[in-house]
Amino acid sequence: MKKNYSNIYSFNKKIIKKTVNFLKLNNIVGLPTETVYGLAGNAYSDKAIKKIYSLKKRPRRNPLIIHYYNYEKAKKDVYFNKNFFKLYKRFCPGPITFVLKKNKNSNISSLATASLNTVAIRFPKHRVIKTLLKFLSFPLAMPSANISSGLSPIDAFNVFEEFKKKLKIIIDGGRSKIGIESTVVDLTNHPKILRPGIISPNEIKNILKTNFSKKKINLRSPGMMKKHYSPGIPVIIGQKPKNINHAYIVFGKRFKSSKNYFNLSKKGDLKEAAANLYKIMRKIKKNGFKKIYVSKIPSFGPGIAINDRLSRASK
Ligand code: AMP
Ligand code: MG
């Protein structure tokens, strides 16, 4: 590892041990997951949770997703229901987050849930976070490892760029395969998708065999904030760039290569497009483009999540 990046570690037994001890002392670390990289801390500790909010400059009213090794470890903290088990069986561990009622006996810091009576839980698949969660006696609160409202990081260097040496440990687990945040589904009442992700609403519908609630919800949640996932330069949807100082995000083989064209997936694969979205937006910004224009992206499957992120980035 280069000297500049002395806080980025490869995955091995030694770093796992060091990280476990570090987390026990209510410190915060940068960790890989299959969706995006996260900023992790002890979900049972007010002290750790305060550090996460302050590092991210995240509004305190926006609750954090709590990560567990498996459902047994979450028993004490939430009330499960039938819909939960159906989806758990099909998709976990994986890129899906469940909002459930908080258990009366839960030890989760009320700061992490923004004093709501609900908790958002996820069971990540990436082997680094799974290994850590297995050894820990507490779950990890873990929002994406970026300053609030910006783009989520998809590799260890993205995390370094956000926080530099403010983090003592960032574990390098390679590029996040999925590349966008988890699907969030509220199961406290009639199921409702709060945030689309790589697991599409239809896949969930097929398992639950029910339609989603259309009720407007009044949740104070970050993924639901209009402006989010912003690359820091204007994003304009459905128009072509005016000149070559403007980048053009395109999708599919009908687009020729050009210096200011960035193809999310030449072969027209929406999963690949989702995995490339933040990487490409970061690259565009780094290359000095002043604006991002976006061509039409199909709105089904992972396309729903891509359009959701682009639309919020454009606000
Ligand atoms: P982020 O940490 O930015 O990936 O976003 C967390 C997402 O989880 C938000 O978009 C919310 O939809 C959801 N969420 C987290 N905690 C709760 C909670 N206690 N109740 C309801 N939704 C939550
Ligand atoms: Mg985030």
Side-chain angles (χ1 to χ4, degrees):
M1 197 57 60
K2 277 188 218 152
K3 211 173 172 202
N4 279 350
Y5 301 127
S6 56
N7 53 346
I8 300 184
Y9 295 87
S10 318
F11 177 52
N12 57 42
K13 267 193 193 148
K14 209 171 132 193
I15 193 62
I16 290 297
K17 211 171 153 190
K18 185 173 162 151
T19 306
V20 164
N21 289 327
F22 201 61
L23 286 164
K24 278 184 186 162
L25 296 171
N26 301 319
N27 293 303
I28 306 307
V29 300
L31 297 179
T33 87
E34 69 277 18
T35 56
V36 301
Y37 272 63
L39 209 52
N42 180 353
Y44 293 159
S45 155
D46 287 348
K47 198 172 157 197
I49 301 303
K50 276 183 194 161
K51 285 185 191 168
I52 293 179
Y53 279 101
S54 108
L55 272 166
K56 266 186 77 80
K57 303 193 174 75
R58 176 167 170 126
R60 288 281 185 97
R61 66 192 159 80
N62 291 337
L64 309 176
I65 297 174
I66 314 298
H67 296 70
Y68 293 87
Y69 179 70
N70 59 18
Y71 83 92
E72 275 166 17
K73 287 207 178 197
K75 250 192 275 192
K76 212 172 59 145
D77 292 328
V78 293
Y79 293 114
F80 295 129
N81 56 36
K82 271 193 198 150
N83 283 336
F84 165 78
F85 283 112
K86 283 186 201 166
L87 295 173
Y88 182 85
K89 231 167 117 187
R90 172 67 184 81
F91 296 116
C92 294
I96 182 165
T97 296
F98 309 100
V99 174
L100 294 166
K101 293 230 164 75
K102 193 173 186 177
N103 192 308
K104 279 201 304 292
N105 304 314
S106 165
N107 288 326
I108 296 174
S109 159
S110 60
L111 296 173
T113 54
S115 301
L116 297 171
N117 55 8
T118 52
V119 190
I121 64 169
R122 182 162 101 83
F123 307 89
K125 191 174 185 173
H126 193 290
R127 68 184 182 126
V128 170
I129 175 103
K130 265 201 95 166
T131 308
L132 282 168
L133 288 169
K134 198 173 171 180
F135 288 123
L136 290 167
S137 57
F138 49 81
L140 293 174
M142 186 167 59
S144 52
N146 55 280
I147 308 294
S148 199
S149 92
L151 293 180
S152 295
I154 54 158
D155 66 32
F157 296 98
N158 292 164
V159 181
F160 182 86
E161 279 169 358
E162 293 280 335
F163 299 106
K164 303 285 184 321
K165 296 286 173 71
K166 283 186 192 162
L167 295 175
K168 296 282 176 294
I169 299 176
I170 300 170
I171 300 186
D172 184 352
R175 201 175 133 192
S176 294
K177 286 211 175 82
I178 291 168
I180 55 165
E181 306 77 5
S182 60
T183 303
V184 180
V185 54
D186 181 358
L187 299 176
T188 52
N189 283 303
H190 198 77
K192 179 156 183 94
I193 303 280
L194 301 185
R195 176 175 71 190
I198 209 79
I199 298 175
S200 72
N202 261 335
E203 281 178 274
I204 295 175
K205 234 184 240 176
N206 287 341
I207 304 283
L208 297 183
K209 297 188 174 41
T210 171
N211 280 319
F212 293 118
S213 162
K214 294 222 161 48
K215 249 192 239 158
K216 273 234 172 321
I217 24 144
N218 200 2
L219 276 172
R220 299 162 296 164
S221 303
M224 315 222 39
M225 292 195 318
K226 284 218 171 79
K227 187 173 166 66
H228 213 74
Y229 314 116
S230 163
I233 51 176
V235 175
I236 298 122
I237 296 173
Q239 289 178 39
K240 281 189 165 177
K242 309 281 181 278
N243 60 57
I244 55 155
N245 296 322
H246 297 163
Y248 195 27
I249 291 185
V250 297
F251 172 83
K253 52 177 173 286
R254 69 193 172 91
F255 293 95
K256 286 191 207 89
S257 293
S258 163
K259 229 185 94 188
N260 62 332
Y261 279 36
F262 296 83
N263 205 323
L264 291 176
S265 168
K266 279 185 187 145
K267 60 180 183 207
D269 175 339
L270 285 167
K271 233 179 181 172
E272 180 182 63
N276 282 331
L277 182 65
Y278 293 149
K279 191 184 86 170
I280 283 178
M281 284 167 100
R282 276 176 193 271
K283 190 171 164 192
I284 289 171
K285 174 95 190 289
K286 214 168 216 169
N287 290 1
F289 288 99
K290 299 286 179 268
K291 278 183 185 175
I292 301 178
Y293 287 78
V294 187
S295 77
K296 201 169 161 53
I297 316 282
S299 209
F300 58 86
I304 299 171
I306 298 171
N307 284 317
D308 167 75
R309 304 304 189 274
L310 285 169
S311 139
R312 289 173 207 269
S314 73
K315 292 283 159 23

